[in-house]
Amino acid sequence: MMKHNWKICRQYLPWLLLLLGTDGVFVLLLWLADIQALKAFAAFLVLGTLLLFSAVLSVVILRENRRQKAFLAFLNTPEEYQEEQLLRLSGAAEKDMIRILGAALRQKQEEYQLLQGRISDYEDYVEAWAHEIKTPVSLLTMLIDNRRDDMPEHEQRKLDYIRNRMQESVNQMLFYARLKSARKDYLLETLSLSECVEDVLEDYRPLLEGKGFLVSTDICDAAVFSDRRGLHFLLSQVISNCVKYCRDDIRPELSLFFIRKESHCSLIIRDNGMGVRSSDLPYIFEKGFTGDSGEGRKKATGMGLYLAKEIAGDLKLTLEADSRWGEGFVMKIIFPVV
């Protein structure tokens, strides 16, 4: 407010200088006409000019502040009532522009509300579709589990891979819609990290066993404060990449261990897969980035780690990645101490 008032004062400062210059002319004329009159009226003339200018400037500042408040209210809510309030405080030259601006703002507001309604309908449809598609995926899982003894091992692996890819794609789409939504439905609570890790590993167990992974965990009874679904999704994206980009020439390994410090605690997820090139590492969390780390990445969408990073940001977690080409990949998930 003070800054705005100072701008108004600077705007009218030339008028004060003009008035003082006029007073100077009158003082000069008084000095030439009657020096006694100069002594009697000069100070009164200048003081009166300053008082009159201050009074007028105070009225102008008060009116400008009222008009600024009315203008901001009009911008926030461009209704006809707010427009009329602003018109009462505006000059004749500004009224036509205010009416044009009001009509344009109301039209844009209607278009925005219509667009928001469409986006909300789209989000509801995506979430409903994602939940509906989980039913056939669950039936496929049950069918595979019931007929596992009757199927050859290579067919089991293919069906497990297809089932896992379907579930992963559905989850990615669902969480992408949630990230872009204005509504956030996270439920933050104290979670057992070991239970969350075991749930995700159980989802990927057929693929891990099919690839021959040696899995080790050292988490104990660690507890973290987070959202269960969001944390599950984040962990699944990291473990999914470990499965996708494992090496064929050595036995794949996956280790998860927990480190607690005074300021934070971390879950470290490490594998011995192909890793990421040093030139690609700074960009792995960018949307759509796949890099050139092998044939497997040519079929990747580049959305997994991007979504994981976005979810981590919403949950106030920090992701740190490290890798050397051909020597594996390390993801550190840092939890704040609550």
Side-chain angles (χ1 to χ4, degrees):
M1 184 63 70
M2 293 296 296
K3 188 176 181 181
H4 178 66
N5 293 344
W6 172 242
K7 287 183 178 179
I8 297 175
C9 293
R10 289 180 59 185
Q11 179 182 354
Y12 287 93
L13 185 60
W15 292 102
L16 175 61
L17 297 178
L18 179 61
L19 290 174
L20 292 176
T22 304
D23 289 345
V25 173
F26 281 115
V27 168
L28 178 62
L29 293 176
L30 282 173
W31 179 71
L32 294 175
D34 188 351
I35 193 169
Q36 296 299 326
L38 171 64
K39 294 179 179 179
F41 292 103
F44 174 77
L45 182 63
V46 175
L47 182 60
T49 300
L50 291 175
L51 291 175
L52 178 62
F53 179 79
S54 299
V56 173
L57 185 61
S58 298
V59 173
V60 170
I61 290 176
L62 180 61
R63 183 179 179 84
E64 286 293 330
N65 287 334
R66 290 176 59 193
R67 186 166 67 167
Q68 184 187 42
K69 291 180 180 178
F71 182 70
L72 293 176
F74 170 65
L75 286 181
N76 291 328
T77 311
E79 298 175 352
E80 293 183 357
Y81 171 77
Q82 299 290 356
E83 182 179 321
E84 290 299 325
Q85 294 295 317
L86 180 60
L87 288 172
R88 291 194 188 98
L89 299 171
S90 303
E94 301 172 334
K95 290 184 177 180
D96 290 339
M97 296 301 297
I98 291 174
R99 290 191 178 96
I100 294 173
L101 178 61
L105 287 176
R106 284 190 288 273
Q107 180 182 357
K108 294 298 182 183
Q109 189 179 51
E110 290 176 1
E111 294 175 356
Y112 173 77
Q113 291 175 349
L114 180 61
L115 181 60
Q116 283 293 103
R118 291 177 178 175
I119 292 175
S120 179
D121 291 341
Y122 172 75
E123 291 171 354
D124 292 340
Y125 171 76
V126 169
E127 290 204 17
W129 182 89
H131 288 298
E132 287 294 328
I133 201 65
K134 285 183 178 180
T135 300
V137 173
S138 299
L139 292 175
L140 176 61
T141 302
M142 185 172 62
L143 179 63
I144 295 173
D145 291 340
N146 290 339
R147 298 295 183 88
R148 192 172 294 275
D149 296 336
D150 301 331
M151 291 186 294
E153 186 175 351
H154 68 279
E155 291 186 5
Q156 294 179 26
R157 292 181 181 177
K158 288 182 179 179
L159 289 174
D160 285 331
Y161 175 79
I162 294 171
R163 189 256 333 252
N164 182 269
R165 291 288 294 172
M166 289 174 60
Q167 185 65 54
E168 187 175 312
S169 298
V170 170
N171 287 337
Q172 284 188 359
M173 184 180 66
L174 184 59
F175 272 90
Y176 183 78
R178 285 176 179 167
L179 285 172
K180 302 305 177 183
S181 173
R183 305 188 302 269
K184 303 292 185 181
D185 59 348
Y186 298 122
L187 176 61
L188 299 177
E189 57 183 335
T190 301
L191 303 173
S192 170
L193 186 58
S194 60
E195 289 183 6
C196 293
V197 168
E198 286 301 323
D199 289 343
V200 176
L201 289 177
E202 185 62 31
D203 291 338
Y204 284 87
R205 193 166 305 281
L207 293 182
L208 292 169
E209 292 177 352
K211 293 278 189 176
F213 264 85
L214 178 61
V215 180
S216 60
T217 60
D218 184 11
I219 301 175
C220 299
D221 57 348
V224 295
F225 191 73
S226 189
D227 174 74
R228 184 178 298 274
R229 288 186 301 175
L231 184 57
H232 275 211
F233 177 80
L234 196 161
L235 293 172
S236 67
Q237 298 308 302
V238 179
I239 294 176
S240 173
N241 282 349
C242 295
V243 176
K244 290 177 186 175
Y245 307 121
C246 66
R247 293 170 55 181
D248 297 328
D249 55 337
I250 59 175
R251 183 177 183 181
E253 297 179 1
L254 173 63
S255 60
L256 303 94
F257 54 94
F258 186 77
I259 299 176
R260 186 184 300 276
K261 296 183 179 180
E262 292 185 2
S263 58
H264 64 273
C265 48
S266 305
L267 175 65
I268 313 297
I269 304 175
R270 186 193 306 273
D271 66 55
N272 63 342
M274 64 178 66
V276 178
R277 298 184 188 275
S278 58
S279 58
D280 293 341
L281 192 59
Y283 311 104
I284 61 173
F285 293 114
E286 292 189 5
K287 182 179 179 180
F289 182 79
T290 59
D292 60 350
S293 303
E295 292 293 327
R297 295 191 184 273
K298 293 182 179 180
K299 298 179 182 180
T301 62
M303 293 295 292
L305 290 183
Y306 162 75
L307 291 174
K309 185 73 170 182
E310 294 294 308
I311 291 291
D314 276 0
L315 299 179
K316 306 304 179 185
L317 308 179
T318 303
L319 298 186
E320 293 181 359
D322 191 20
S323 179
R324 289 188 179 182
W325 177 241
E327 297 183 12
F329 184 81
V330 180
M331 179 69 75
K332 179 187 292 187
I333 305 174
I334 302 175
F335 299 85
V337 174
V338 179

